[in-house]
PDB file of all heavy atoms in Angstrom:
ATOM      1  N   GLN A 329     -73.843  37.617  47.532  1.00  0.00           N
ATOM      2  CA  GLN A 329     -74.990  37.619  46.637  1.00  0.00           C
ATOM      3  C   GLN A 329     -75.781  36.339  46.823  1.00  0.00           C
ATOM      4  O   GLN A 329     -75.257  35.232  46.696  1.00  0.00           O
ATOM      5  CB  GLN A 329     -74.553  37.733  45.172  1.00  0.00           C
ATOM      6  CG  GLN A 329     -75.731  37.854  44.205  1.00  0.00           C
ATOM      7  CD  GLN A 329     -75.299  37.968  42.760  1.00  0.00           C
ATOM      8  OE1 GLN A 329     -74.280  37.404  42.361  1.00  0.00           O
ATOM      9  NE2 GLN A 329     -76.046  38.705  41.968  1.00  0.00           N
ATOM     10  N   TYR A 340     -66.122  46.956  54.170  1.00  0.00           N
ATOM     11  CA  TYR A 340     -65.177  47.538  53.235  1.00  0.00           C
ATOM     12  C   TYR A 340     -63.986  48.150  53.966  1.00  0.00           C
ATOM     13  O   TYR A 340     -64.085  48.536  55.137  1.00  0.00           O
ATOM     14  CB  TYR A 340     -65.839  48.521  52.273  1.00  0.00           C
ATOM     15  CG  TYR A 340     -66.081  49.916  52.789  1.00  0.00           C
ATOM     16  CD1 TYR A 340     -65.174  50.943  52.551  1.00  0.00           C
ATOM     17  CD2 TYR A 340     -67.262  50.231  53.464  1.00  0.00           C
ATOM     18  CE1 TYR A 340     -65.428  52.238  52.987  1.00  0.00           C
ATOM     19  CE2 TYR A 340     -67.521  51.515  53.890  1.00  0.00           C
ATOM     20  CZ  TYR A 340     -66.605  52.518  53.654  1.00  0.00           C
ATOM     21  OH  TYR A 340     -66.862  53.806  54.084  1.00  0.00           O
ATOM     22  N   PHE A 383     -68.339  38.101  46.581  1.00  0.00           N
ATOM     23  CA  PHE A 383     -67.551  38.920  45.662  1.00  0.00           C
ATOM     24  C   PHE A 383     -66.639  39.856  46.438  1.00  0.00           C
ATOM     25  O   PHE A 383     -67.014  40.422  47.460  1.00  0.00           O
ATOM     26  CB  PHE A 383     -68.463  39.784  44.776  1.00  0.00           C
ATOM     27  CG  PHE A 383     -69.158  39.037  43.682  1.00  0.00           C
ATOM     28  CD1 PHE A 383     -70.489  38.686  43.812  1.00  0.00           C
ATOM     29  CD2 PHE A 383     -68.496  38.713  42.516  1.00  0.00           C
ATOM     30  CE1 PHE A 383     -71.150  38.008  42.803  1.00  0.00           C
ATOM     31  CE2 PHE A 383     -69.142  38.042  41.495  1.00  0.00           C
ATOM     32  CZ  PHE A 383     -70.472  37.690  41.640  1.00  0.00           C
ATOM     33  N   GLY A 390     -62.644  58.180  44.943  1.00  0.00           N
ATOM     34  CA  GLY A 390     -63.430  59.003  44.041  1.00  0.00           C
ATOM     35  C   GLY A 390     -64.610  58.284  43.455  1.00  0.00           C
ATOM     36  O   GLY A 390     -64.925  57.165  43.816  1.00  0.00           O
ATOM     37  N   TYR A 394     -66.855  50.132  40.677  1.00  0.00           N
ATOM     38  CA  TYR A 394     -66.092  49.070  41.311  1.00  0.00           C
ATOM     39  C   TYR A 394     -65.672  48.058  40.252  1.00  0.00           C
ATOM     40  O   TYR A 394     -66.425  47.768  39.324  1.00  0.00           O
ATOM     41  CB  TYR A 394     -66.941  48.334  42.342  1.00  0.00           C
ATOM     42  CG  TYR A 394     -67.391  49.136  43.534  1.00  0.00           C
ATOM     43  CD1 TYR A 394     -67.067  50.479  43.695  1.00  0.00           C
ATOM     44  CD2 TYR A 394     -68.161  48.540  44.517  1.00  0.00           C
ATOM     45  CE1 TYR A 394     -67.507  51.196  44.789  1.00  0.00           C
ATOM     46  CE2 TYR A 394     -68.597  49.249  45.621  1.00  0.00           C
ATOM     47  CZ  TYR A 394     -68.264  50.576  45.754  1.00  0.00           C
ATOM     48  OH  TYR A 394     -68.703  51.269  46.835  1.00  0.00           O
TER      49      TYR A 394
ATOM     50  N   TYR B 254     -74.237  47.349  35.774  1.00  0.00           N
ATOM     51  CA  TYR B 254     -73.377  46.183  35.707  1.00  0.00           C
ATOM     52  C   TYR B 254     -74.122  45.048  35.028  1.00  0.00           C
ATOM     53  O   TYR B 254     -75.334  44.906  35.163  1.00  0.00           O
ATOM     54  CB  TYR B 254     -72.957  45.719  37.110  1.00  0.00           C
ATOM     55  CG  TYR B 254     -71.859  46.536  37.730  1.00  0.00           C
ATOM     56  CD1 TYR B 254     -72.137  47.733  38.390  1.00  0.00           C
ATOM     57  CD2 TYR B 254     -70.540  46.127  37.654  1.00  0.00           C
ATOM     58  CE1 TYR B 254     -71.130  48.492  38.956  1.00  0.00           C
ATOM     59  CE2 TYR B 254     -69.522  46.876  38.219  1.00  0.00           C
ATOM     60  CZ  TYR B 254     -69.824  48.050  38.866  1.00  0.00           C
ATOM     61  OH  TYR B 254     -68.814  48.798  39.421  1.00  0.00           O
ATOM     62  N   GLN B 256     -74.191  40.833  34.685  1.00  0.00           N
ATOM     63  CA  GLN B 256     -73.736  39.585  35.287  1.00  0.00           C
ATOM     64  C   GLN B 256     -74.206  38.420  34.408  1.00  0.00           C
ATOM     65  O   GLN B 256     -75.356  37.987  34.490  1.00  0.00           O
ATOM     66  CB  GLN B 256     -74.256  39.418  36.717  1.00  0.00           C
ATOM     67  CG  GLN B 256     -73.674  38.201  37.417  1.00  0.00           C
ATOM     68  CD  GLN B 256     -74.121  38.075  38.859  1.00  0.00           C
ATOM     69  OE1 GLN B 256     -75.281  38.316  39.200  1.00  0.00           O
ATOM     70  NE2 GLN B 256     -73.196  37.703  39.736  1.00  0.00           N
ATOM     71  N   GLY B 260     -71.227  34.370  36.115  1.00  0.00           N
ATOM     72  CA  GLY B 260     -71.220  34.921  37.468  1.00  0.00           C
ATOM     73  C   GLY B 260     -70.447  36.202  37.693  1.00  0.00           C
ATOM     74  O   GLY B 260     -70.672  36.871  38.706  1.00  0.00           O
ATOM     75  N   ARG B 312     -74.176  55.354  43.750  1.00  0.00           N
ATOM     76  CA  ARG B 312     -73.203  55.664  44.785  1.00  0.00           C
ATOM     77  C   ARG B 312     -73.330  57.143  45.108  1.00  0.00           C
ATOM     78  O   ARG B 312     -73.018  57.998  44.279  1.00  0.00           O
ATOM     79  CB  ARG B 312     -71.788  55.327  44.314  1.00  0.00           C
ATOM     80  CG  ARG B 312     -70.737  55.429  45.399  1.00  0.00           C
ATOM     81  CD  ARG B 312     -69.363  55.061  44.866  1.00  0.00           C
ATOM     82  NE  ARG B 312     -68.362  55.031  45.927  1.00  0.00           N
ATOM     83  CZ  ARG B 312     -67.061  54.890  45.720  1.00  0.00           C
ATOM     84  NH1 ARG B 312     -66.593  54.748  44.496  1.00  0.00           N
ATOM     85  NH2 ARG B 312     -66.217  54.872  46.720  1.00  0.00           N
ATOM     86  N   ASN B 317     -71.325  54.112  49.975  1.00  0.00           N
ATOM     87  CA  ASN B 317     -71.029  52.932  49.165  1.00  0.00           C
ATOM     88  C   ASN B 317     -72.124  52.667  48.154  1.00  0.00           C
ATOM     89  O   ASN B 317     -73.180  53.275  48.181  1.00  0.00           O
ATOM     90  CB  ASN B 317     -70.863  51.727  50.083  1.00  0.00           C
ATOM     91  CG  ASN B 317     -69.683  51.887  50.995  1.00  0.00           C
ATOM     92  OD1 ASN B 317     -68.629  52.324  50.573  1.00  0.00           O
ATOM     93  ND2 ASN B 317     -69.874  51.572  52.257  1.00  0.00           N
ATOM     94  N   PHE B 318     -71.829  51.728  47.302  1.00  0.00           N
ATOM     95  CA  PHE B 318     -72.797  51.334  46.293  1.00  0.00           C
ATOM     96  C   PHE B 318     -74.062  50.767  46.926  1.00  0.00           C
ATOM     97  O   PHE B 318     -74.005  50.043  47.908  1.00  0.00           O
ATOM     98  CB  PHE B 318     -72.209  50.236  45.417  1.00  0.00           C
ATOM     99  CG  PHE B 318     -71.542  50.736  44.180  1.00  0.00           C
ATOM    100  CD1 PHE B 318     -70.812  51.904  44.199  1.00  0.00           C
ATOM    101  CD2 PHE B 318     -71.621  50.018  43.010  1.00  0.00           C
ATOM    102  CE1 PHE B 318     -70.181  52.352  43.048  1.00  0.00           C
ATOM    103  CE2 PHE B 318     -70.997  50.466  41.861  1.00  0.00           C
ATOM    104  CZ  PHE B 318     -70.280  51.621  41.874  1.00  0.00           C
TER     105      PHE B 318
END
Side-chain angles (χ1 to χ4, degrees):
Chain A
Q329 185 180 32
Y340 81 95
F383 285 102
Y394 295 0
Chain B
Y254 282 83
Q256 186 177 41
R312 188 179 185 188
N317 296 317
F318 267 38

